[in-house]
Every structure is written in structure tokens, then in C-alpha cells.
Amino acid sequence: MSGPSFDEPEVTIELTVNGATVTRRVSTRRHLSDFLRDDLGLTGTHIGCEHGVCGACTVRYDGEIARSCLILAAQTDGSTVETVEGLSDSGEIEALQQAFLARNALQCGFCTPGMLVTAADLLRSVPKPSRDEVRDAISANYCRCTGYHAIVDAIMAASEKLAVKS
Amino acid sequence: MTTAPAPAVGQSLARPRAKRLVTGRGRYTGDIAAKRALQVAFFRSPHPHARIKSIDVSAARALKGVVLVATGADVAKHCKGFAGIHRLFKGMKAAEQWPLAFDRACWQGEPVVAVAAETRAIAEDALDLIEVDWEPLEGLGTPEKAIAGGTVLHESLGDNIGYDGTTASGDVEAALAGAAVVIEDTFRFGRHTGVCLEPRSILAAYDPSDDSLVVHESHQCPAQQQAIFADLMGLPEHRVRVVCPDVGGAFGIKQQLYGDELATCIVSKMTGRPAIFIADRVESFASDIHAREHVVKGQMAFAPDGRILGLTVDDLFAVGAYSNYPRSSIGEASHVAALTGGPYRIPAYRARVRMIYQNKPPVGHYRAVGHPIACAVAEQLLDRGARALGLDPIAVRRINQVPDGTASHKSHSGFMLNGLTVEACLGKLLAGFDMAAFRREQQDARKRGLLLGLGIANFVEFTGTGAPYYGESGAPVTAQESCLARLEPSGHVRCLTGTTDQGQGTDTAVGQAIADAIGVSFDDVEVISGDSAGPVGGGAWASRGASSGIEAAVRAGRALRDEILRLAGLILQRKPEQMMLAGGLLCDAASGAELITLREVATIAHYRQHLLPPGTQPELSMTRSFVPQSQSFITTNGVQLSVVSVDPGLGDVRLLRHRVAHDSGTVINPMLLDEQIRGGVVQGLGAALFEEIHYSEDAVLGTGSLMDYLLPLATEIPDIEVAHLATPDPGTSIGAKGAGEAGTAGAAAAVLNAVNDALAPMGAHISTLPITPERVLAAIAAASSSHDTKPGLQG
């Protein structure tokens, strides 16, 4: 829902989300994470801490990974945002998704969208990472279920599969 | 002729539900849209302990967009109070609780006023307009302060001791007096919590037209919640339904009633609109159940050859301001009494446990309830005894272990521990691990000023809780699991189970077991869980899915298979016992020749009954249940090994290796089982090194964010090596035992032993978890000040 305004100051923003142009009036205090989830219905972006630590809300923002809970929707005017839904639909993270499934690199799944967005960012810059490099890359994404081992395995497997393809 | 496909049980199949979760299509409670829903926020007590002299909510009510402001007294008109008494524990005392505080707040963060508004932001704005006139009272921050004879938290209870019980066997005083060595120490365990990445979340929709309540809740136990909401709110239970959709981590944190969640249901009733409450992270630290605040005095007495002669445990267990509802807060301490030294034969034992009230949030049943405390105390005392006697700690374990294959061993705490495999697990743990090489490496490292340590921790585990434990409690908690298997007209199978799945993979395991029981492929089975309107079950707690939940599924599957064979027999005019169902095909049992497809039988049974003999009534939905009626727990065991390095200058502990060997009974899905163990281990490693909720002496919370409550990160955790034994449990068809607690049960103890092994040459040891750098440095400093000679690393 766009929500009743209740005299809150608002601005109009226009941005590209998962390849489509969206225009909305938003409260100036609305976070990007809430905007994505509540205004656009993109609930794949999860909110775990709202203070930028857990990484569950990680999205790609103008090409870089970022914490959507630390960004105001009002500042995203003119930007490009990609969420787990967009990266899924485009097929960009398919190898990672298949590897996460096959290796059971997720349990409750709440950290998974942020983890996938972060892992995709790693593989774009370091196509053949070492296990330590994978651990380092995901060290700002909390997972409470897996203990990380399976996630590292899955990202390594995806990198190998992508290397064979390319 | 067909060959039967390989059984699904035993295969590392991927979880069907995970397909949604990796594409961002999960449906967690906060993702569910509800028209006209109100957002609820809570004004919480800023004081650990304070009387409420007056509350002024007029400004909050006047704020545009606010629909309801309800105080504790307003909300209490719509429900009963509740108290967390477990009647198995004679003499337990617990104060009555209400959804919101109304005359007094007993912990910092206790909910006091509910605000419902059109948006969460407006609801939070309104919180700032609420004025409460407080009279601060003394806050009790530690269990020692709570039993010092000062402030009594709940006057009706007389004192702050909610339970005081002793378990004993043998002559422990004689054992202590006659021992070659008695190791005595006081162990302290930091209060921590589960930190589910998805905070507690609830969407409650009351419908005044038929007095019904539908709740979507991030919870483990929908049937229990249905019973509680109906009872406390005075609603007809058959019109209360609780649905637990995808749940973003639970670990026991989402297993009980929370006042703010009940208040959210009442807000919906008061407004006639759906009401949503999602805790933020600060609220989670201040109001989720906590765990593990224990101060344990332990003594272990040894003969010269390392035999354990006796063990005493005195556990001060600080449970917060109230005993949790409905299960009570006694679980951890009762497990400490039951399980300390469980892997060993101990001829004399005394365990006293006291449950202490103080001004903190209630303690509940976080993963591996009590097990990590029991394990750390016994395993560290055993290591210290071995060191004092100059014996190898593994050899000392071996001479004390309960022999493998003992069908029914009655432990020193009076529990039947059946079919333990302590030696086999130890053997599996050490297989391929070159202990001699490690000890050489350790010696070499010491010469270079580096401290390496190795620790081992045996543990016995209670899983798959049976009827007696909560049957005696008085709580609406069932140990019975149920499963409904339904044949669809297409020949596919839909299965509804009362067990729930927060990512463990229980749904997948149920699907594997029921596919085999019926004789269809795993891909042709859909498993649905988490709805209190479905078959009744306990949900998820105490590692019950793989044992009780699977057994109910197997029984339902077999009943459906028998009915399919009966109907096929009528269609084909053959005897059912001469046919078999495999891979969705009915075949001749002797020759394997294909006779008819399941799809054809299902189509006739659903749509063409006129083709069946007169009087035939197909039954295409089968529900079966299973309860371990007389057995309190399925017992199992495991062992863990940790290798660490300790930096004596910085106090920093690095985890280098971690191995686990565990007897999980029959393995249903090896991959999912391994990941249960690994995930559990890492929660235990958090307890070992990082996680602690800090409170002041006056019970003021000091850790309100993930910036100051440290969790294990990917860079701090090594790969976890896992091995299994698979000794079937004789009580069920498949014979699986629980595995969800095992990792957490022993991990912290293994690390504690490893750190103390590393520190031993300096004469230092640690008895407090988590093992922070400050505690390491303090232990080293204490050792050097208590020795005349300068400590060296030449050990």
C-alpha cells in the first residue's frame, strides 16, 4: 500500500526497479527496504535488523550492493535498484540458486536473498574465489541456520559451474 | 516388468520448499497482505523494575492515524491471566502474567501500552506521546542478588526462588571424602538468545460476525497457539486457527506465548480489523526469550586411575521476571540435573537446581535446552581431573563411559538412557585424526610462543519428547504427532502433517518417508505443514520431527497404501497381498509384472465408483497418529572435538577445526542431517566465544543491537566435519532419532576444553562462557599472580 499521508512530508521519486520504471510519492522518512516491500510488493528483500548489520536487506543499488534499510527511498530518485526478484527473473543468479538448492545452503531462507545478491556481486568481481575469499565476501551477511559451511560450498560450486560455461 | 525405484529414505534430496525461498518468493508472516490491517507498536518499560503510578495516553490517542491505544488494563478485559507452572516439578511457584503490564513493570522492555495505527511509523510516533509516571524499584540483575534476601519480586511467592529441587543417588559425601582428586569449580554461562533473523511476527484477524480468529504467526507450534488463544481470550477453539507460514528461524525462540503477541490478537478483537506486529531488533533483544544464565558449582571426585567416584552440581538458574507460559522456564535446569555426566557411569550424584526470578525477560527453551550447560560442566571437570592425575583425558573418558549396546542404562540422575553408543562415536570422531601429530604440533607451537589447544566433549541428548513430560505439566502441549495422507485423483499424494518446518527440512523428510510407505516417488508427494486446522501435532520442539512426526507419516502412508491395494484388488479381482505398489505402479508381487497405474486406481476411486463392486466405499484420506506414550525422551549421544589457537597477548581465540560424531539413528536425508548438525554447532560456537546479553547489576540492558551482541560470522567459523552413527531407535518404524540439538549441545564445551588445554601450560583456566578476549587475559593474569614463578610456555 502507498499508505495514507497523515501530513508527512512527501517527495515524488522515479527510479528503475528490476528493469521497470516506477514513479511513486513517498514519505521522506521511508526506507528503501520498506518502499520495496510495502509499496512495490517486492517482499524478497527481508528486514532483519534495520541498522545495517545483518545483510538480509541487501540489494543492488546503481550496480553496487547496499543495505536497503540504510537508504531512504527519497534519495533513490533516478537510481537503478535490483532485488532478488529481478536477479531471479533475469536468470543472472540461476547458477547460484541451483547450487544453494542442491547443497542445502539455506534453511529458514530469511538471509538467502541478501546472501545471493552478495554472492553474485563477489562472482562478478572474482569469478574463481578461494574458500577464504568467499567467507570474507559473505562475512557481513548473517546466517543463523547453516553455520555458513554449506553456503561456502554452494558459492564455490556455482563459481566452478560458471567458469565451465564461460 | 518394473524394478522398484530406490527408496527415498536415505537419499540427500533437496528441499522442495527451498525453491521458493531462493527466488525471493518466500511467504513469511510480514509478507502477507491483509486489507485494512493496523500496525501495532508497543510502549515498553524503560525501567527494569518500576511501579506504574499513572499512564496518560490522551496525546497518543489524538494523533492523526492512530486507531487504538490500549493499556494493560484495557487489554486485560479481553483475556485471562496466565502462569508458567509445570506440575511435574513439585512446589514450583510462578506469578501470574498478563499481556501488558498494568500496575508494575518487571523487566526493561516489558510491554506496557499497545498502539494500533494506519502505519508502523505513526504507531511509533504515538509511542513518543505516551506519558507514564513511574516509581522506580530496585532491579535484580544477578541470581546471587536475587537470593540475597532483599527485594522480593513477586510478594505472593514469598521469595525469588521459583523452584528448588534435588536429585541424588549413591553416597556422594563418601565419594568426595574417599577420592584421590576432587575438582571443584564455579561455572558461569552468559545469558544469550536465538537471534532469529526474522523477528517475531504476528498478523491477527478477528471477525466479530462469527467470533472467529485467524492468526498468521512466525511460530513453531500452531496447535498449541490455537489452544492458548482460544482459552485465554475465551473464544470457541474450533473457530480459532493459527497458521505458521515460512518462519525465518525459530530455535525455540518461537515456541511460547508472548504477551505482545496475545495483545495483538486482542487489538484485532477490539478494533475488528486485522492487526500486525513485527518486533524490531531492539525489541527482540529486550523481549524475546533468553537462555542459559546459570551459575553452576560442580565437584567431580576421581579415583587414582581416573574413575569418577562422584559428582555434585548446584545450579542457580536465573529465569527472568516470570516463568514462561505455557511450558514454564524450568527446562534448562531440569536438563542440567538430568544430563550432567550423562555419558558416564557415576556411582554417586547430587544435583540441586534452583530457578531464580530477577528483573529480566523470561527464559525459555532455546535450542539444546540445558544440554550445553550440563556438557560444559561435566566435560571441563573431567578434563581437569585427568590433568590433575596426569592421565590422558580421552583415556579417562573411556574408562568411565557407559558401555555401548547397554539396552537400558539407568543413569545416576534416574533416567533411562537406551542404546547409547558413546565409544563408537568417540572412535568415529578420532578416526582419521592424528592425535600424536597434533600433540607434536602443539609442543612445537609452544616453543614459538603460540598456544594451541584441543578439547573433546561427550554428551547425551534428549530428543523426541514423549507423553509423560508435558502430560504431567498441565500445559496444552501435545507429544502426539499426526499426519493425513490424501490420494489425489491424478495419483499424486498430498500430505498434511502436524510437525512444522522452520528450515530444518522436516517437510522433506516426511515426504521421503511417506513416499516410501505408500510406494510413490518423492516428486509425487506434496507436504503441507504449519496449520492448526490440519492434523494436530506438537509442531517443532525437542527434535521430534524425525522420530514422532515421521512415524505418524509412515503409519498414514501405510494405511493409504493398504486402501489402494484393496481398491486395486477389487478392480482387478486379485488378492491385495499378491500385489505391490512401487513408483506409482501396481505390480504383481511375485513377478513384478505391471498390472495397473496408481493414476487409474485413483481416477476410479474418485470419479467412477459405479465400476466398483456394490457396497464398496473408497477411503482416500488416511490420518494416523503416533505418541511415545510411556517414554519421556528418545536418548542419543554424540561427541565433539575442537582445535583452537589462543593469542596470549590479545586474548583472542581462533577456531581452527571442529569435528562432530553423532548417533542420529536411521538417517533419512544425509545432507539435511549434516546441515542440522553444522547449524547447531555454530550456534554453540557463538555461545562459546561471542554471544552474551549484558545487563548491569540493576538489570539495565546493555546489548540492544547487533553492533554490541556478537554473532558468529563466516570468517570466524571453520568448516565443520561431521560423521554419523546410525543406530536405529527401536520405538519407531524407521528408527530416526533427533538431531537438531546435538550440535549446540556439545560445541561450547569442546571449545572450553580446547581453550583450557591451550592455557594449561600457563596454569590458567577459564570457567566462564563466552570466552571473550578480556576473560582470557584475566585468566592469564590471575594465573601469573598466583604463581611464584613467572609462567612460561615450556609446558
Side-chain angles (χ1 to χ4, degrees):
Chain A
M1 67 171 188
S2 54
S5 68
F6 300 102
D7 306 330
E8 290 181 28
E10 289 186 344
V11 292
T12 298
I13 55 171
E14 184 173 300
L15 66 159
T16 304
V17 178
N18 296 332
T21 303
V22 296
T23 308
R24 290 286 192 284
R25 292 280 291 169
V26 294
S27 162
T28 51
R29 64 175 170 174
R30 197 158 187 72
H31 291 131
L32 176 59
S33 50
D34 290 330
F35 172 73
L36 292 170
R37 290 177 51 80
D38 296 337
D39 294 359
L40 304 186
L42 294 168
T43 54
T45 297
H46 294 154
I47 297 176
C49 74
E50 295 179 280
H51 53 269
V53 180
C54 79
C57 69
T58 304
V59 297
R60 194 180 285 169
Y61 176 53
D62 283 338
E64 303 281 341
I65 54 170
R67 305 287 154 110
S68 60
C69 75
L70 295 182
I71 297 170
L72 292 169
Q75 75 193 84
T76 65
D77 185 44
S79 72
T80 299
V81 174
E82 291 160 277
T83 70
V84 68
E85 290 94 340
L87 297 176
S88 296
D89 291 348
S90 73
E92 184 185 331
I93 58 171
E94 191 183 350
L96 279 166
Q97 289 167 319
Q98 291 304 325
F100 270 57
L101 280 176
R103 183 57 191 83
N104 201 49
L106 67 154
Q107 291 182 29
C108 81
F110 203 76
C111 75
T112 308
M115 201 66 87
L116 287 167
V117 174
T118 300
D121 187 65
L122 169 71
L123 296 185
R124 285 205 303 181
S125 55
V126 186
K128 287 283 286 176
S130 67
R131 285 184 84 80
D132 283 349
E133 285 174 311
V134 170
R135 285 191 177 273
D136 193 52
I138 63 169
S139 67
N141 288 72
Y142 285 14
C143 171
R144 292 294 290 149
C145 298
T146 66
Y148 303 107
H149 182 137
I151 295 175
V152 177
D153 284 352
I155 295 172
M156 294 297 287
S159 80
E160 279 154 30
K161 195 169 170 187
L162 290 168
V164 169
K165 268 188 185 170
S166 60
Chain B
M1 176 174 160
T2 60
T3 50
V9 168
Q11 292 189 43
S12 288
L13 299 177
R15 288 157 48 221
R17 191 198 289 215
K19 291 176 191 167
R20 287 193 290 108
L21 303 180
V22 295
T23 51
R25 291 174 185 273
R27 283 170 56 82
Y28 302 88
T29 297
D31 301 338
I32 295 167
K35 292 198 186 304
R36 296 187 73 229
L38 295 169
Q39 299 285 333
V40 181
F42 291 93
F43 180 92
R44 295 176 183 274
S45 172
H47 299 288
H49 193 192
R51 200 169 305 287
I52 298 169
K53 291 160 77 176
S54 64
I55 302 179
D56 181 357
V57 298
S58 55
R61 275 197 182 124
L63 187 70
K64 205 169 164 186
V66 169
V67 173
L68 177 77
V69 180
T71 64
D74 299 332
V75 166
K77 290 175 192 150
H78 298 273
C79 69
K80 298 192 290 191
F82 46 95
I85 296 277
H86 193 308
R87 296 199 185 110
L88 194 60
F89 298 86
K90 305 295 178 211
M92 183 183 288
K93 301 182 291 189
E96 188 174 48
Q97 303 174 61
W98 294 86
L100 307 176
F102 51 84
D103 56 357
R104 192 167 58 110
C106 290
W107 81 84
Q108 192 184 38
E110 185 174 358
V112 179
V113 181
V115 174
E118 300 292 349
T119 70
R120 171 83 187 214
I122 294 166
E124 291 187 15
D125 288 346
L127 299 182
D128 290 341
L129 302 174
I130 292 170
E131 298 282 350
V132 178
D133 187 6
W134 296 101
E135 179 193 338
L137 305 168
E138 186 189 27
L140 304 171
T142 63
E144 292 95 334
K145 187 174 175 183
I147 59 169
T151 296
V152 174
L153 192 48
H154 304 291
E155 279 174 19
S156 61
L157 305 185
D159 58 28
N160 295 323
I161 301 174
Y163 177 73
D164 186 346
T166 298
T167 303
S169 62
D171 187 345
V172 80
E173 297 305 330
L176 293 168
V181 165
V182 176
I183 304 295
E184 181 174 341
D185 204 354
T186 299
F187 298 87
R188 292 173 183 276
F189 297 87
R191 184 173 260 250
H192 55 271
T193 185
V195 196
C196 309
L197 213 49
E198 179 208 23
R200 292 189 293 108
S201 309
I202 185 169
L203 161 60
Y206 175 79
D207 187 338
S209 64
D210 63 355
D211 203 23
S212 69
L213 177 70
V214 177
V215 175
H216 286 78
E217 189 177 20
S218 184
H219 205 278
Q220 300 164 230
C221 310
Q224 170 200 296
Q225 294 301 92
Q226 171 188 300
I228 289 175
F229 291 141
D231 176 44
L232 296 182
M233 292 177 68
L235 301 172
E237 187 170 352
H238 58 302
R239 290 204 279 273
V240 176
R241 180 179 172 198
V242 177
V243 179
C244 301
D246 291 329
V247 172
F251 320 120
I253 306 303
K254 298 170 178 173
Q255 189 202 51
Q256 45 278 308
L257 178 70
Y258 286 93
D260 50 22
E261 296 182 17
L262 176 59
T264 303
C265 295
I266 293 170
V267 164
S268 178
K269 188 177 183 192
M270 291 172 78
T271 58
R273 292 173 62 172
I276 298 172
F277 166 63
I278 300 174
D280 68 22
R281 189 51 61 188
V282 183
E283 287 182 295
S284 299
F285 279 114
S287 67
D288 282 5
I289 61 109
H290 293 174
R292 317 276 204 258
E293 186 177 354
H294 295 251
V295 180
V296 184
K297 283 185 186 152
Q299 296 172 297
M300 195 176 269
F302 296 87
D305 62 357
R307 275 180 300 114
I308 300 170
L309 300 175
L311 171 66
T312 73
V313 173
D314 188 342
D315 181 12
L316 270 188
F317 174 35
V319 300
Y322 295 97
S323 178
N324 216 336
Y325 184 81
R327 294 165 195 245
S328 93
S329 292
I330 192 62
E332 283 201 5
S334 77
H335 281 35
V336 169
L339 290 171
T340 304
Y344 309 108
R345 288 168 297 173
I346 298 178
Y349 181 62
R350 185 179 64 228
R352 181 186 187 192
V353 300
R354 280 171 287 176
M355 182 172 104
I356 309 299
Y357 294 118
Q358 26 129 236
N359 295 105
K360 295 181 185 173
V363 158
H365 287 172
Y366 174 47
R367 192 175 199 168
V369 182
H371 292 61
I373 314 295
C375 183
V377 169
E379 295 298 303
Q380 176 55 201
L381 288 173
L382 190 150
D383 262 18
R384 299 254 295 279
R387 199 168 291 128
L389 290 164
L391 300 171
D392 172 24
I394 293 174
V396 172
R397 282 179 172 78
R398 284 199 154 118
I399 62 167
N400 285 294
Q401 282 166 187
V402 176
D404 287 8
T406 310
S408 53
H409 161 74
K410 189 175 183 187
S411 77
H412 46 274
S413 60
F415 280 84
M416 298 310 296
L417 307 179
N418 302 319
L420 297 186
T421 53
V422 182
E423 174 54 33
C425 277
L426 185 61
K428 198 126 193 167
L429 181 85
L430 298 175
F433 186 90
D434 191 338
M435 189 64 74
F438 171 78
R439 291 298 179 199
R440 283 195 300 276
E441 187 186 344
Q442 188 180 35
Q443 291 293 335
D444 292 344
R446 278 177 195 158
K447 288 173 196 153
R448 288 177 280 125
L450 293 174
L451 299 176
L452 295 181
L454 182 146
I456 285 183
N458 270 323
F459 59 94
V460 164
E461 187 186 355
F462 285 162
T463 79
T465 309
Y469 188 77
Y470 283 113
E472 291 276 343
S473 76
V477 175
T478 183
Q480 180 162 272
E481 293 300 329
S482 303
C483 183
L484 180 152
R486 188 173 96 180
L487 182 66
E488 304 294 312
S490 60
H492 294 92
V493 173
R494 182 171 281 159
C495 164
L496 281 75
T497 171
T499 58
T500 58
D501 186 343
Q502 296 79 41
Q504 304 93 320
T506 320
D507 284 0
T508 305
V510 164
Q512 290 177 257
I514 207 162
D516 287 356
I518 298 170
V520 295
S521 81
F522 173 74
D523 291 338
D524 289 340
V525 177
E526 171 77 3
V527 177
I528 297 170
S529 64
D531 189 339
S532 76
V536 178
W541 47 276
S543 294
R544 58 186 300 96
S547 53
S548 300
I550 295 280
E551 180 63 13
V554 167
R555 291 178 182 202
R558 286 177 181 167
L560 185 59
R561 175 201 61 192
D562 290 348
E563 175 65 0
I564 292 165
L565 290 171
R566 181 181 79 91
L567 295 171
L570 293 170
I571 293 165
L572 300 172
Q573 299 191 333
R574 297 170 71 102
K575 288 183 175 168
E577 57 271 24
Q578 291 172 348
M579 294 181 289
M580 60 180 226
L581 175 54
L585 294 169
L586 287 119
C587 307
D588 182 84
S591 69
E594 188 180 322
L595 301 171
I596 188 172
T597 66
L598 176 56
R599 184 188 182 106
E600 288 172 286
V601 175
T603 301
I604 292 169
H606 274 280
Y607 301 133
R608 318 277 176 250
Q609 297 90 346
H610 63 286
L611 298 176
L612 296 167
T616 304
Q617 178 57 63
E619 291 293 347
L620 304 173
S621 296
M622 292 291 181
T623 304
R624 291 293 181 273
S625 299
F626 175 72
V627 62
Q629 194 180 4
S630 58
Q631 184 177 332
S632 285
F633 304 99
I634 296 172
T635 52
T636 185
N637 59 277
V639 60
Q640 302 197 23
L641 180 153
S642 165
V643 177
V644 304
S645 69
V646 180
D647 182 326
L650 296 173
D652 191 36
V653 176
R654 284 187 60 85
L655 303 164
L656 303 179
R657 285 185 81 170
H658 201 98
R659 289 165 77 101
V660 182
H662 180 248
D663 194 337
S664 315
T666 306
V667 178
I668 296 168
N669 184 316
M671 175 172 68
L672 302 190
L673 173 62
D674 282 356
E675 296 317 313
Q676 274 306 291
I677 300 288
R678 290 197 173 101
V681 164
V682 174
Q683 293 199 349
L685 298 179
L689 297 182
F690 307 116
E691 297 183 44
E692 185 166 20
I693 302 177
H694 289 284
Y695 279 92
S696 70
E697 281 281 313
D698 299 330
V700 175
L701 177 65
T703 28
S705 81
L706 290 172
M707 306 291 274
D708 33 43
Y709 183 90
L710 304 181
L711 291 169
L713 301 175
T715 40
E716 294 157 336
I717 300 299
D719 286 348
I720 312 292
E721 305 156 55
V722 182
H724 300 287
L725 256 80
T727 312
D729 174 55
T732 62
S733 307
I734 288 186
K737 301 173 182 176
E741 331 288 330
T744 310
V751 173
L752 177 67
N753 283 0
V755 169
N756 282 336
D757 181 50
L759 295 177
M762 308 185 82
H765 74 265
I766 286 182
S767 315
T768 298
L769 296 180
I771 306 165
T772 60
E774 293 88 339
R775 286 176 180 145
V776 171
L777 295 177
I780 292 172
S784 62
S785 67
S786 69
H787 287 42
D788 294 331
T789 54
K790 193 169 179 251
L793 290 172
Q794 287 78 33

